[in-house]
Amino acid sequence: MAAINLPLIHTPPSIQNFSIKSSQNTSKFFPFSQSNPSPLLSSSFKLYTTAKARASSLIAFAAKNLSESELNSVPETAGEIAGKFPSDAGVYAVYDKEGDVQFIGITRNIAGSVATHWRSVPELCVSVKFGVVDEPDRTNLTQAWKSWMEEHIKVTGKIPPGNESGNATWTRQPPKKKADLRLTPGRHVQLTVPLEELIDQLVKENKVVAFIKGSRSAPMCGFSQRVVGILEAEGVDYESVDVLDEEYNNGLRETLKTYSNWPTFPQIFVDGQLIGGCDILSSMHETGELAGLFKK
Amino acid sequence: MASRGANVVLSRANRMKTKLQSALSASLLEIEDVSHQHAGHAAVKGSAGETHFNVKIVSPKFEGQSLVKRHRMVYDALAEELQSGLHAISIVAKTPQETGAK
């Protein structure tokens, strides 16, 4: 099809200069980015084989076409994924270990989507091609996706399995929010071990624990809310404990302040160590340190 | 809480400033009272303002200290305040070099 072989107008940034670009883009896109793949294109779609004229005028927005794009193997950790793939918006194709395309998607955050897929189906997410889309509004992203889909179908005669309607492997919504952990069975139940010991066990047995005010689904303080937001943006599996819960976490606030030698909430623990409150978490999130901490 | 009000001769912000300055020999110290943003917040009901502050502090004593340590140094200097109704501080703690590099 002629449309697909059009010369490039916008070239995606190379991976080499990505590190500079990414820091800008993280802040630029962070409030709007959705690291989960967009579900809108998975159901059904129509080929544009007849509308060549239209397709060729729009295809200029797409990045490189699928066959020209470089195949990148997906690293073994979330932190390396964040380092290898840009957090820009664009189109991407996921390949399994046989080198077959499993899914073609678009996203506001390529690295985020790759990480999400890698976490949910590591065996199908072995390598990835991506194209950054400049001016990534919905139209441009959709066009980029269409052009990659058309190209793939033209070559293989097949729709990628993950794009067939009814296949939810790649578009699964993030799991429902977990319940907050409770430290005690209730305030009227006599504890057999000191509260301090329960805290100690909790933070050592769970990789990431956030002590927040209110529940994780409805934090009652702005700082706790920000902490929950950051942990979810990092895509990390974490436990939360509501320090305001007087029934099940009675006495926790005072005991935790002493345990951690930290006078305020929220408090975030990773591998049993206090990493700080909202300020520290925010700054580590911005510098990328946090992702490094979670990948271990 | 009239009794406490009467004891507050200096504002909390001023006391914080003095304490941080002497504990950390800050080369830059900015304290901003943002309590009004948190008025109505469940935990501060009944206290007479001065509960939430933004603190920006540059001190050579932060050299070589992790963020957690730096924040602890600030909290330690303000221990009394935290026990008497200071509820939360947003802290930016840098060394003179780090600010110079910016």
Side-chain angles (χ1 to χ4, degrees), chain A:
Chain A
M1 189 173 29
I4 282 162
N5 298 320
L6 273 181
L8 291 172
I9 294 180
H10 292 173
T11 318
S14 66
I15 295 195
Q16 287 90 317
N17 63 26
F18 151 63
S19 58
I20 305 156
K21 225 179 163 259
S22 79
S23 60
Q24 294 165 347
N25 282 327
T26 316
S27 54
K28 189 168 145 203
F29 283 119
F30 169 62
F32 314 104
S33 75
Q34 41 183 76
S35 52
N36 296 302
S38 165
L40 82 159
L41 296 167
S42 66
S43 47
S44 64
F45 65 95
K46 283 189 183 135
L47 288 183
Y48 251 90
T49 43
T50 51
K52 271 186 194 165
R54 190 167 157 213
S56 45
S57 68
L58 288 168
I59 205 162
F61 294 116
K64 282 185 184 178
N65 64 30
L66 183 56
S67 63
E68 281 175 352
S69 298
E70 189 189 338
L71 191 63
N72 303 280
S73 63
V74 176
E76 293 289 300
T77 66
E80 287 173 74
I81 291 175
K84 185 162 182 176
F85 294 94
S87 54
D88 302 86
V91 57
Y92 63 97
V94 185
Y95 291 74
D96 62 17
K97 65 178 190 301
E98 270 78 49
D100 292 332
V101 174
Q102 283 288 332
F103 178 69
I104 297 177
I106 52 175
T107 174
R108 291 266 159 217
N109 177 348
I110 293 168
S113 290
V114 172
T116 304
H117 293 320
W118 173 77
R119 269 194 297 271
S120 79
V121 282
E123 69 285 359
L124 296 180
C125 188
V126 173
S127 45
V128 170
K129 287 186 177 186
F130 64 86
V132 173
V133 173
D134 293 336
E135 295 178 44
D137 60 18
R138 176 154 286 208
T139 315
N140 291 348
L141 283 169
T142 308
Q143 279 307 320
W145 177 81
K146 275 186 179 147
S147 78
W148 276 32
M149 282 296 274
E150 286 176 4
E151 184 185 343
H152 175 74
I153 291 164
K154 187 169 167 252
V155 173
T156 65
K158 288 187 300 201
I159 295 173
N163 292 93
E164 283 177 28
S165 60
N167 183 324
T169 308
W170 304 89
T171 54
R172 195 190 300 145
Q173 294 305 305
K176 285 273 172 262
K177 286 195 176 180
K178 290 188 178 179
D180 301 290
L181 290 185
R182 291 165 167 179
L183 227 55
T184 76
R187 65 190 303 175
H188 301 296
V189 182
Q190 186 69 43
L191 291 179
T192 52
V193 280
L195 195 54
E196 188 143 314
E197 222 162 277
L198 293 177
I199 297 175
D200 193 57
Q201 275 173 18
L202 185 79
V203 299
K204 287 182 175 152
E205 284 169 9
N206 297 284
K207 178 150 180 83
V208 184
V209 182
F211 292 91
I212 56 175
K213 291 186 162 178
S215 68
R216 68 200 286 160
S217 47
M220 310 240 308
C221 124
F223 301 109
S224 294
Q225 192 153 22
R226 232 156 76 203
V227 162
V228 167
I230 289 171
L231 292 173
E232 308 220 324
E234 292 276 347
V236 67
D237 185 30
Y238 69 99
E239 302 298 339
S240 55
V241 183
D242 177 2
V243 299
L244 297 178
D245 184 339
E246 300 293 346
E247 178 59 34
Y248 294 101
N249 299 325
N250 194 27
L252 175 58
R253 285 196 300 284
E254 287 317 309
T255 313
L256 181 60
K257 284 181 187 178
T258 319
Y259 173 83
S260 59
N261 184 22
W262 194 263
T264 60
F265 304 102
Q267 298 186 9
I268 298 91
F269 286 77
V270 177
D271 295 323
Q273 296 290 320
L274 176 74
I275 67 158
C278 183
D279 291 332
I280 295 183
L281 197 75
S282 303
S283 97
M284 290 177 76
H285 177 56
E286 278 157 23
T287 59
E289 265 175 275
L290 202 54
L293 199 60
F294 291 152
K295 80 179 178 187
K296 282 187 272 176

Side-chain angles (χ1 to χ4, degrees), chain A residues 213 220-223 226 260-265 274-277 279-280 283-284 289, chain B residues 38 41-43 52 54 67-69 71-72 75-76 82 86-92:
Chain A
K213 291 186 162 178
M220 310 240 308
C221 124
F223 301 109
R226 232 156 76 203
S260 59
N261 184 22
W262 194 263
T264 60
F265 304 102
L274 176 74
I275 67 158
D279 291 332
I280 295 183
S283 97
M284 290 177 76
E289 265 175 275
Chain B
H38 302 270
H41 186 297
H52 289 71
N54 289 344
L67 279 177
V68 172
K69 287 240 182 69
H71 283 223
R72 279 209 177 109
Y75 285 136
D76 285 346
L82 283 156
L86 172 57
H87 182 75
I89 327 166
S90 178
I91 302 170
V92 177

Side-chain angles (χ1 to χ4, degrees), chain B residues 21-34:
Chain B
Q21 191 64 55
S22 66
L24 298 168
S25 355
S27 58
L28 182 143
L29 179 56
E30 288 171 19
I31 297 184
E32 186 190 359
D33 185 343
V34 292

